[in-house]
Amino acid sequence: MEIQTPGQVERYRGFVLIPEDDLSWQVRPERSPMHVLPFRTPACSIADVKALVDWRLARLGRDRRPQPKAELLPKSKGNGWQLTDMQDQQKTA
């Protein structure tokens, strides 16, 4: 867990992350209009706070990072045991 001293403000994806004395974080948008309201987090690491910001942006559809294209993702072949059972049933029928 990364420990930051109070007063070390960090900027991340349009937000200001402000550490508190009790190891919690205050997260505020840098500018208006505010799409995400200011909020506080429980005691956690900076990586957890960044993940929470990413999650909130994704939930609102405001995540502008490039997403992987569907054709580049590995294709799902299902469960091998289910296909094998179905093939065995077809052979015996």
Side-chain angles (χ1 to χ4, degrees):
M1 179 177 344
E2 295 176 34
I3 298 175
Q4 292 195 355
T5 59
Q8 268 186 306
V9 176
E10 186 161 335
R11 286 180 167 69
Y12 179 71
R13 300 189 66 201
F15 291 87
V16 179
L17 313 177
I18 306 165
E20 300 288 323
D21 291 334
D22 62 353
L23 300 179
S24 65
W25 292 81
Q26 190 176 46
V27 181
R28 295 183 186 171
E30 284 184 310
R31 303 179 184 178
S32 286
M34 290 187 291
H35 301 292
V36 177
L37 295 175
F39 62 94
R40 289 183 187 269
T41 66
C44 59
S45 69
I46 186 73
D48 293 336
V49 177
K50 289 178 179 180
L52 183 58
V53 168
D54 290 340
W55 176 78
R56 288 189 180 211
L57 289 173
R59 200 175 88 194
L60 291 173
R62 302 211 178 266
D63 193 354
R64 301 286 185 230
R65 292 183 298 175
Q67 300 295 322
K69 295 187 178 182
E71 63 268 9
L72 298 179
L73 296 175
K75 295 185 178 180
S76 175
K77 295 181 181 176
N79 278 339
W81 66 270
Q82 289 175 339
L83 293 174
T84 305
D85 287 345
M86 301 244 336
Q87 290 169 349
D88 288 342
Q89 288 174 359
Q90 290 175 352
K91 288 179 186 176
T92 57

